[in-house]
Amino acid sequence: MPRRSRVLSGTLIATALLLTSIGVGTVAAGADAPAVHPAGHTMAVSSAASPEDPDGDGYIPANPPVTGVTPSKKEPPHRYFHEFQANCSVTHTAPDDPIVYPQQPGKSHDHTFMGNTTTNANSTTASLAAGSTTCLAPGDRSAYWMPTLYNGNQPVLPVGPQVIYYKAGVTDYTSVRPFPKGLRYVVGSPTQSAQEFRNHRGFVEGWECGDSFFNVDFPANCPDRRDVQVNIRFQAPSCWDGRYLDTPDHQAHMAYPVVNPGTNNNICPASHPVALPMIEFKMAFPVNGDLSRVRLASGAGYSFHYDFFNAWDERTLKAMVNHCVVGGLQCDARGYDQNHPEAGAALNERYELP
């Protein structure tokens, strides 16, 4: 576990209110991107119809919706951990974004994709479910992506399985339920300012390398050592409105937890009462030394954001959430907590359901 791993506390929430072989793409500027952003997309309303949004209005209703839920204010027995990992490797890069620009290949800035190997501008819940994955758990066919990082004009891609945590974002970890199939959202924004990035509810440590932390942009230099990489950790909202799998801005259907008045406990807001896993990206990029030419395809380091499109096998995700998050364990990608071997694992040695 990273030395400063944590879920946003109530206090902080209140106060923070392989290149060719894997098909590396090129940086592509969005045709309608503002001039001040060298490449990429804005968080605009979807402008194209897709198989899951035939009228192109940006709303994809959940079927069925989740109703009758009130935010849980319970305080279960304290467990320091309630999480598991999804370890997924990079699959390819491309100037596509099936959430922001569905059915519009090449319109986005360049993204680095992990998990599902088939992700492209035309991806849907059904196409992802039929795809393959680089995640250790074959049941995780979800698509994860972020803007490609460059050193000059050279893409710098994370090597090996990256750490994507699934945690409890609320105090009542026993109230967390699996993601609905097809849920998708964007965390952060390519157009956010440095201050907006620093004050974002998902901000953990910013850009870090060596002993340098809390950077909103890439530091000028990192120790030039083999064991040093540029890292970032960023947390997603974990409360869902229960109504939509996506909304026009790709964020309004999700919310961060709030503080239950009179306590230091995190609960979901009444507008978004359904507690889901809180995803945390922990990405490591193999670059160090002189970072003066390091940038993202979306711009400066503070333009970092990422996308998630859920395509887990439903039984596998339910087993992992129930065993590790609801069960208050610190699990690996098998759902095994080495500190509690008596609890067993959710998945077998092949990372599949027993």
Side-chain angles (χ1 to χ4, degrees), residues 84-154:
F84 66 89
Q85 294 184 20
N87 297 142
C88 308
S89 300
V90 170
T91 59
H92 62 288
T93 73
D96 288 352
D97 191 321
I99 295 178
V100 178
Y101 291 124
Q103 311 293 307
Q104 300 172 78
K107 193 169 183 180
S108 173
H109 54 243
D110 203 66
H111 282 114
T112 294
F113 294 88
M114 296 167 290
N116 200 295
T117 63
T118 69
T119 313
N120 59 34
N122 299 314
S123 291
T124 63
T125 304
S127 73
L128 293 175
S132 58
T133 183
T134 62
C135 299
L136 292 184
D140 184 7
R141 297 184 180 88
S142 300
Y144 309 88
W145 65 95
M146 59 192 170
T148 298
L149 185 144
Y150 289 88
N151 188 7
N153 291 320
Q154 184 73 23

Side-chain angles (χ1 to χ4, degrees), residues 13-314:
I13 287 177
T15 57
L17 272 223
L18 17 161
L19 300 181
T20 302
S21 65
I22 61 174
V24 172
T26 57
V27 181
D32 53 358
V36 293
H37 297 286
H41 53 249
T42 62
M43 296 302 291
V45 173
S46 298
S47 59
S50 68
E52 294 176 289
D53 180 21
D55 60 5
D57 68 352
Y59 289 96
I60 301 177
N63 184 21
V66 176
T67 59
V69 176
T70 57
S72 176
K73 298 179 181 180
K74 295 179 182 177
E75 294 187 45
H78 176 71
R79 299 298 292 265
Y80 191 77
F81 295 105
H82 12 68
E83 64 182 51
F84 66 89
Q85 294 184 20
N87 297 142
C88 308
S89 300
V90 170
T91 59
H92 62 288
T93 73
D96 288 352
D97 191 321
I99 295 178
V100 178
Y101 291 124
Q103 311 293 307
Q104 300 172 78
K107 193 169 183 180
S108 173
H109 54 243
D110 203 66
H111 282 114
T112 294
F113 294 88
M114 296 167 290
N116 200 295
T117 63
T118 69
T119 313
N120 59 34
N122 299 314
S123 291
T124 63
T125 304
S127 73
L128 293 175
S132 58
T133 183
T134 62
C135 299
L136 292 184
D140 184 7
R141 297 184 180 88
S142 300
Y144 309 88
W145 65 95
M146 59 192 170
T148 298
L149 185 144
Y150 289 88
N151 188 7
N153 291 320
Q154 184 73 23
V156 179
L157 305 180
V159 177
Q162 297 301 292
V163 179
I164 301 167
Y165 290 108
Y166 282 61
K167 301 183 176 184
V170 293
T171 299
D172 184 8
Y173 55 87
T174 67
S175 69
V176 176
R177 65 180 69 194
F179 290 115
K181 196 119 180 205
L183 181 77
R184 67 210 73 180
Y185 54 73
V186 180
V187 183
S189 169
T191 63
Q192 64 205 354
S193 68
Q195 192 61 38
E196 288 170 333
F197 177 61
R198 179 63 183 86
N199 292 337
H200 196 282
R201 300 282 289 282
F203 187 94
V204 180
E205 294 175 336
W207 293 101
E208 62 174 9
C209 61
D211 294 324
S212 179
F213 300 91
F214 300 104
N215 299 293
V216 297
D217 206 347
F218 300 109
N221 290 279
C222 273
D224 190 3
R225 304 197 315 262
R226 181 173 297 178
D227 62 333
V228 173
Q229 298 189 81
V230 171
N231 294 271
I232 191 166
R233 294 170 56 205
F234 212 74
Q235 296 177 342
S238 59
C239 297
W240 179 44
D241 66 6
R243 300 174 60 200
Y244 295 106
L245 301 177
D246 197 11
T247 43
D249 69 354
H250 318 297
Q251 297 183 340
H253 55 308
M254 300 295 298
Y256 285 89
V258 296
V259 178
N260 185 22
T263 74
N264 196 37
N265 294 342
N266 295 335
I267 63 172
C268 283
S271 59
H272 296 72
V274 184
L276 302 177
M278 186 272 288
I279 283 181
E280 178 184 304
F281 266 33
K282 186 179 188 298
M283 303 289 113
F285 300 88
V287 62
N288 55 31
D290 179 11
L291 302 185
S292 61
R293 300 180 67 216
V294 172
R295 60 184 173 85
L296 295 174
S298 52
Y302 50 80
S303 72
F304 181 79
H305 57 288
Y306 62 86
D307 301 54
F308 168 66
F309 194 142
N310 176 42
W312 274 87
D313 168 71
E314 292 172 281

